[in-house]
Amino acid sequence: MTGKRRAWIAGAAATIVLLCVLFFWIGRSSGVRSAVQKVNEGRVPKVLTARVRTAPIRRGEIRSTVDAYGMVVPAPGGRRTIALGYSVRIAQVQVSNGERVSKGAPLLVVDAAPQTRLALDRARNDVKAAREQLRVVRHRYQLKLTDKTAVIQSEKSYSDAKAALDNLLQQRAESVQTIRAGSAGIAWGLSVKKGDLVAPGTPMLALVDAGALEARLGLEASDAGHLRLRQRVAVSPVDSSSGRLLTGRIRAVGGAVDPATRLVPVFVSLPPSAQGLLGSYVRGEMTAQASQGLIVPYASVLPEGGKEILFTVEKGHAVRHEVKVGIDNGREVEVAGKGLKPGDRVVVLGNYELKDGMAVTVEPAS
């Protein structure tokens, strides 16, 4: 390569390097001037500020309530079951299930079943045989052919046979009879119809005292443990749009889980005005827990790494607080923590973006 050609290549390379350096400094100066211009025009914020909405901390009572569902049933002692000690045939049914009846009203007409007639005949024969046996034993005792023990045994056999016959006769087992209401009430649990043969002791019908009703509700075991006897319960029909509301009181709380529902039964005594609800499904609302303390809106408390926190606003900055949470009713929460007092403003909207000490702008409540 000639000397002239080497000189030409070296000059071209130097020129290219100078042009690159010149373009770099022109671009850098332009970018700096643009950034400064944006700051001066207010288009880039100098300090990060969060917009939040707040609510005051209050001191007062907070309650958590639970709902339970169940049915209105007769209270203990409020039901009188109708059953007979002998077999009968149902001749007539003169009342409907749920019907209100007055004292003396006819309920059922029954006739002796074939088994009962046989039992009457057998009881009469037993009495006749026992009487004859007793006569014979007494005669033998007079002849010194037996002892006093045999006489006592024969007398007892005769007494037992006569008592069995008298029991059937006193119940009018050999005749058609009308069973009437011994007191006013509601016919409930009717389990027979015309023509049925009913075994001895089988419940046929019950009369429920209209003023002795209760709601049998079911609760989770964790909720039932907070209840107390005589506690008020607001009871309303599940399928009613009338908004009818009754106030009952807890009579008893079950000590075991019902195997059918897996819930703990709670028995709520109802006022006399509930008489039209027998057999209906109802909802009961009751207080599970109550406490006095500092109360904040539910939205103000946030989970953070296994802890509970909230932010208050002080002099335009967010202040982080770790808190212990108490009763929570879904709308408000009981809290306890250092530096908290009634009247402080807690952040309820925008708190997920906050850090301790961050500048905030509080929006007015809508």
Side-chain angles (χ1 to χ4, degrees):
M1 184 180 293
T2 63
K4 290 183 179 181
R5 185 173 179 83
R6 290 193 190 96
W8 182 83
I9 292 174
T15 302
I16 292 172
V17 170
L18 288 174
L19 288 174
C20 289
V21 172
L22 179 62
F23 289 147
F24 170 77
W25 281 107
I26 291 173
R28 186 173 181 275
S29 296
S30 176
V32 171
R33 285 197 301 272
S34 177
V36 172
Q37 183 179 5
K38 288 181 180 180
V39 171
N40 292 336
E41 292 175 354
R43 288 154 58 189
V44 175
K46 298 179 181 179
V47 180
L48 183 62
T49 302
R51 299 182 67 85
V52 299
R53 191 168 298 170
T54 64
I57 300 177
R58 69 179 182 89
R59 182 179 295 279
E61 183 182 62
I62 184 171
R63 294 174 177 269
S64 64
T65 60
V66 292
D67 289 342
Y69 294 84
M71 179 181 287
V72 177
V73 298
R79 180 204 302 254
R80 294 175 296 284
T81 302
I82 296 173
L84 296 175
Y86 59 95
S87 297
V88 297
R89 181 183 63 83
I90 305 298
Q92 293 181 35
V93 177
Q94 299 186 315
V95 69
S96 298
N97 207 37
E99 181 180 338
R100 190 181 302 279
V101 298
S102 57
K103 182 178 181 179
L107 304 175
L108 301 168
V109 178
V110 299
D111 191 8
Q115 300 94 315
T116 301
R117 297 188 186 279
L118 288 174
L120 274 167
D121 291 341
R122 184 164 51 248
R124 289 190 176 99
N125 291 333
D126 289 345
V127 169
K128 183 178 179 180
R131 185 189 299 117
E132 180 60 23
Q133 178 66 21
L134 177 60
R135 187 189 66 78
V136 171
V137 171
R138 281 176 175 172
H139 180 66
R140 289 173 59 83
Y141 179 72
Q142 289 173 356
L143 296 176
K144 307 296 184 181
L145 298 176
T146 189
D147 56 13
K148 185 66 173 177
T149 303
V151 176
I152 294 173
Q153 291 176 346
S154 295
E155 288 177 343
K156 184 179 184 306
S157 296
Y158 172 71
S159 176
D160 291 345
K162 190 173 185 303
L165 176 61
D166 289 345
N167 181 55
L168 289 171
L169 293 175
Q170 287 171 5
Q171 295 184 75
R172 299 166 58 192
E174 61 181 347
S175 62
V176 176
Q177 63 171 308
T178 299
I179 300 175
R180 298 181 179 274
S183 61
I186 302 170
W188 191 250
L190 179 65
S191 60
V192 296
K193 61 183 182 299
K194 183 177 179 179
D196 282 353
L197 291 175
V198 182
T202 301
M204 298 179 289
L205 178 67
L207 281 181
V208 177
D209 184 349
L213 301 178
E214 67 180 18
R216 188 182 192 275
L217 309 176
L219 271 180
E220 296 286 347
S222 57
D223 292 327
H226 296 294
L227 304 181
R228 64 183 187 279
L229 299 183
R230 302 295 300 163
Q231 179 178 329
R232 291 177 180 269
V233 180
V235 180
S236 59
V238 170
D239 55 355
S240 173
S241 59
S242 63
R244 181 182 182 187
L245 190 67
L246 301 171
T247 300
R249 291 186 180 272
I250 295 177
R251 176 184 66 81
V253 178
V257 172
D258 187 321
T261 64
R262 308 309 303 168
L263 299 173
V264 175
V266 177
F267 302 92
V268 179
S269 298
L270 299 177
S273 56
Q275 56 189 262
L277 296 178
L278 181 61
S280 63
Y281 290 100
V282 292
R283 178 177 68 90
E285 182 180 315
M286 62 205 81
T287 299
Q289 293 176 283
S291 180
Q292 293 279 345
L294 295 179
I295 302 169
V296 298
Y298 182 85
S300 66
V301 179
L302 303 175
E304 184 185 89
K307 301 177 181 179
E308 305 288 342
I309 67 164
L310 57 76
F311 288 93
T312 59
V313 174
E314 183 177 340
K315 297 180 180 179
H317 289 80
V319 180
R320 179 182 178 277
H321 301 266
E322 289 185 13
V323 295
K324 292 183 178 180
V325 174
I327 293 177
D328 164 12
N329 63 14
R331 301 179 305 277
E332 295 180 311
V333 185
E334 178 189 14
V335 296
K338 292 182 179 180
L340 297 178
K341 61 184 183 299
D344 286 351
R345 307 292 297 191
V346 293
V347 179
V348 297
L349 185 64
N351 44 354
Y352 281 95
E353 305 171 2
L354 296 182
K355 300 293 183 183
D356 191 31
M358 182 181 290
V360 297
T361 299
V362 178
E363 295 181 352
S366 57

